[in-house]
Short mmCIF file of all heavy atoms in Angstrom, two decimals:
data_model
loop_
_atom_site.label_atom_id
_atom_site.label_comp_id
_atom_site.label_asym_id
_atom_site.label_seq_id
_atom_site.Cartn_x
_atom_site.Cartn_y
_atom_site.Cartn_z
N LYS A 1384 0.88 -1.17 0.00
CA LYS A 1384 -0.01 0.03 0.00
C LYS A 1384 0.93 1.24 0.00
O LYS A 1384 2.11 1.17 0.35
CB LYS A 1384 -0.91 0.02 1.17
CG LYS A 1384 -0.27 -0.01 2.56
CD LYS A 1384 -1.26 -0.06 3.73
CE LYS A 1384 -2.03 -1.35 3.77
NZ LYS A 1384 -2.96 -1.36 4.98
N GLY A 1385 0.29 2.35 -0.40
CA GLY A 1385 1.14 3.56 -0.49
C GLY A 1385 0.37 4.84 -0.57
O GLY A 1385 -0.90 4.77 -0.74
N LEU A 1386 1.05 5.89 -0.46
CA LEU A 1386 0.47 7.22 -0.51
C LEU A 1386 1.36 8.21 -1.20
O LEU A 1386 2.54 8.27 -0.87
CB LEU A 1386 0.13 7.71 0.89
CG LEU A 1386 -0.43 9.13 1.05
CD1 LEU A 1386 -1.80 9.29 0.36
CD2 LEU A 1386 -0.47 9.57 2.55
N ILE A 1387 0.83 8.95 -2.15
CA ILE A 1387 1.57 9.99 -2.83
C ILE A 1387 0.91 11.32 -2.43
O ILE A 1387 -0.26 11.54 -2.65
CB ILE A 1387 1.65 9.83 -4.36
CG1 ILE A 1387 2.32 8.50 -4.71
CG2 ILE A 1387 2.35 10.97 -5.02
CD1 ILE A 1387 2.29 8.18 -6.17
N GLU A 1388 1.65 12.20 -1.78
CA GLU A 1388 1.13 13.47 -1.22
C GLU A 1388 1.76 14.71 -1.94
O GLU A 1388 2.79 14.58 -2.53
CB GLU A 1388 1.43 13.56 0.22
CG GLU A 1388 0.96 12.40 1.08
CD GLU A 1388 1.51 12.47 2.46
OE1 GLU A 1388 0.86 13.09 3.36
OE2 GLU A 1388 2.52 11.81 2.71
N ARG A 1389 1.05 15.80 -1.86
CA ARG A 1389 1.55 17.11 -2.35
C ARG A 1389 1.70 17.06 -3.86
O ARG A 1389 2.67 17.66 -4.40
CB ARG A 1389 2.84 17.50 -1.66
CG ARG A 1389 2.68 17.78 -0.21
CD ARG A 1389 4.01 18.07 0.49
NE ARG A 1389 4.74 19.16 -0.15
CZ ARG A 1389 4.52 20.47 0.07
NH1 ARG A 1389 3.60 20.83 0.98
NH2 ARG A 1389 5.27 21.38 -0.54
N ILE A 1390 0.82 16.37 -4.58
CA ILE A 1390 0.83 16.42 -6.04
C ILE A 1390 0.55 17.82 -6.53
O ILE A 1390 -0.39 18.49 -6.12
CB ILE A 1390 -0.21 15.45 -6.62
CG1 ILE A 1390 0.10 14.00 -6.22
CG2 ILE A 1390 -0.23 15.54 -8.20
CD1 ILE A 1390 -1.01 13.00 -6.57
N GLY A 1391 1.41 18.28 -7.46
CA GLY A 1391 1.22 19.67 -8.00
C GLY A 1391 2.02 20.69 -7.18
O GLY A 1391 2.00 21.90 -7.51
N LEU A 1392 2.64 20.26 -6.06
CA LEU A 1392 3.47 21.14 -5.22
C LEU A 1392 4.92 20.69 -5.21
O LEU A 1392 5.19 19.60 -5.63
CB LEU A 1392 2.93 21.18 -3.78
CG LEU A 1392 1.43 21.51 -3.60
CD1 LEU A 1392 1.02 21.25 -2.17
CD2 LEU A 1392 1.18 22.94 -3.97
N ASN A 1393 5.79 21.57 -4.73
CA ASN A 1393 7.17 21.18 -4.62
C ASN A 1393 7.28 20.16 -3.49
O ASN A 1393 6.46 20.14 -2.56
CB ASN A 1393 8.05 22.41 -4.27
CG ASN A 1393 8.13 23.37 -5.46
OD1 ASN A 1393 7.96 22.95 -6.62
ND2 ASN A 1393 8.32 24.65 -5.15
N ASP A 1394 8.38 19.37 -3.53
CA ASP A 1394 8.66 18.36 -2.50
C ASP A 1394 7.48 17.42 -2.23
O ASP A 1394 7.01 17.25 -1.10
CB ASP A 1394 9.01 19.11 -1.18
CG ASP A 1394 10.28 19.96 -1.30
OD1 ASP A 1394 11.12 19.60 -2.12
OD2 ASP A 1394 10.36 20.99 -0.63
N SER A 1395 6.97 16.79 -3.31
CA SER A 1395 5.97 15.78 -3.19
C SER A 1395 6.55 14.54 -2.48
O SER A 1395 7.80 14.39 -2.54
CB SER A 1395 5.42 15.36 -4.52
OG SER A 1395 5.07 16.50 -5.29
N ILE A 1396 5.72 13.78 -1.82
CA ILE A 1396 6.21 12.62 -1.05
C ILE A 1396 5.54 11.34 -1.55
O ILE A 1396 4.30 11.33 -1.60
CB ILE A 1396 6.00 12.79 0.47
CG1 ILE A 1396 6.65 14.11 0.94
CG2 ILE A 1396 6.59 11.57 1.24
CD1 ILE A 1396 6.14 14.52 2.30
N SER A 1397 6.34 10.31 -1.84
CA SER A 1397 5.77 9.01 -2.28
C SER A 1397 6.23 8.01 -1.20
O SER A 1397 7.46 7.85 -0.99
CB SER A 1397 6.22 8.63 -3.66
OG SER A 1397 5.75 7.32 -3.97
N THR A 1398 5.27 7.36 -0.56
CA THR A 1398 5.53 6.35 0.44
C THR A 1398 4.99 4.99 0.03
O THR A 1398 3.83 4.91 -0.43
CB THR A 1398 4.95 6.75 1.81
OG1 THR A 1398 5.42 8.04 2.15
CG2 THR A 1398 5.31 5.75 2.91
N VAL A 1399 5.81 3.90 0.16
CA VAL A 1399 5.43 2.55 -0.15
C VAL A 1399 5.63 1.72 1.10
O VAL A 1399 6.66 1.80 1.74
CB VAL A 1399 6.25 1.96 -1.32
CG1 VAL A 1399 5.76 0.55 -1.70
CG2 VAL A 1399 6.14 2.87 -2.56
N LYS A 1400 4.56 0.92 1.45
CA LYS A 1400 4.72 -0.03 2.59
C LYS A 1400 4.40 -1.45 2.13
O LYS A 1400 3.42 -1.67 1.48
CB LYS A 1400 3.71 0.36 3.69
CG LYS A 1400 4.08 1.77 4.33
CD LYS A 1400 3.10 2.11 5.44
CE LYS A 1400 3.43 3.48 6.06
NZ LYS A 1400 2.48 3.86 7.07
N TYR A 1401 5.32 -2.38 2.50
CA TYR A 1401 5.10 -3.78 2.16
C TYR A 1401 5.98 -4.65 3.06
O TYR A 1401 7.11 -4.21 3.44
CB TYR A 1401 5.45 -4.08 0.68
CG TYR A 1401 6.94 -3.81 0.33
CD1 TYR A 1401 7.82 -4.89 0.22
CD2 TYR A 1401 7.38 -2.54 0.15
CE1 TYR A 1401 9.15 -4.67 -0.06
CE2 TYR A 1401 8.77 -2.31 -0.16
CZ TYR A 1401 9.60 -3.38 -0.21
OH TYR A 1401 10.95 -3.18 -0.49
N ASP A 1402 5.50 -5.86 3.40
CA ASP A 1402 6.33 -6.81 4.21
C ASP A 1402 6.93 -6.12 5.40
O ASP A 1402 8.15 -6.32 5.72
CB ASP A 1402 7.46 -7.43 3.36
CG ASP A 1402 6.90 -8.30 2.23
OD1 ASP A 1402 5.74 -8.77 2.32
OD2 ASP A 1402 7.63 -8.60 1.29
N ASP A 1403 6.20 -5.32 6.10
CA ASP A 1403 6.72 -4.59 7.33
C ASP A 1403 7.81 -3.61 7.01
O ASP A 1403 8.58 -3.24 7.87
CB ASP A 1403 7.16 -5.59 8.42
CG ASP A 1403 5.99 -6.41 8.89
OD1 ASP A 1403 4.89 -5.87 9.07
OD2 ASP A 1403 6.25 -7.61 9.20
N LYS A 1404 8.02 -3.29 5.72
CA LYS A 1404 9.04 -2.25 5.38
C LYS A 1404 8.31 -1.03 4.86
O LYS A 1404 7.13 -1.04 4.49
CB LYS A 1404 9.86 -2.83 4.17
CG LYS A 1404 10.63 -4.07 4.52
CD LYS A 1404 11.33 -4.61 3.23
CE LYS A 1404 11.84 -6.01 3.43
NZ LYS A 1404 12.28 -6.63 2.21
N SER A 1405 9.03 0.09 4.97
CA SER A 1405 8.46 1.37 4.52
C SER A 1405 9.54 2.18 3.81
O SER A 1405 10.68 2.19 4.29
CB SER A 1405 7.89 2.20 5.66
OG SER A 1405 7.35 3.35 5.26
N ASP A 1406 9.22 2.75 2.64
CA ASP A 1406 10.21 3.48 1.88
C ASP A 1406 9.52 4.80 1.38
O ASP A 1406 8.44 4.73 0.82
CB ASP A 1406 10.69 2.65 0.71
CG ASP A 1406 11.66 3.45 -0.18
OD1 ASP A 1406 12.82 3.57 0.28
OD2 ASP A 1406 11.29 3.93 -1.25
N SER A 1407 10.15 5.91 1.64
CA SER A 1407 9.66 7.21 1.23
C SER A 1407 10.73 7.93 0.40
O SER A 1407 11.93 7.83 0.61
CB SER A 1407 9.29 8.08 2.41
OG SER A 1407 8.17 7.59 3.06
#
């Protein structure tokens, strides 16, 4: 699962979570 935030703004953030891991 994941979340992409601040689309259309500077410094957007993409986060991915799987197998108890998290990457942003």
Side-chain angles (χ1 to χ4, degrees):
K1384 59 180 70 175
L1386 175 65
I1387 300 174
E1388 303 169 88
R1389 294 175 56 84
I1390 298 171
L1392 303 170
N1393 295 332
D1394 300 327
S1395 312
I1396 304 164
S1397 176
T1398 304
V1399 181
K1400 295 180 179 179
Y1401 65 100
D1402 294 341
D1403 296 323
K1404 300 173 191 168
S1405 182
D1406 179 75
S1407 290

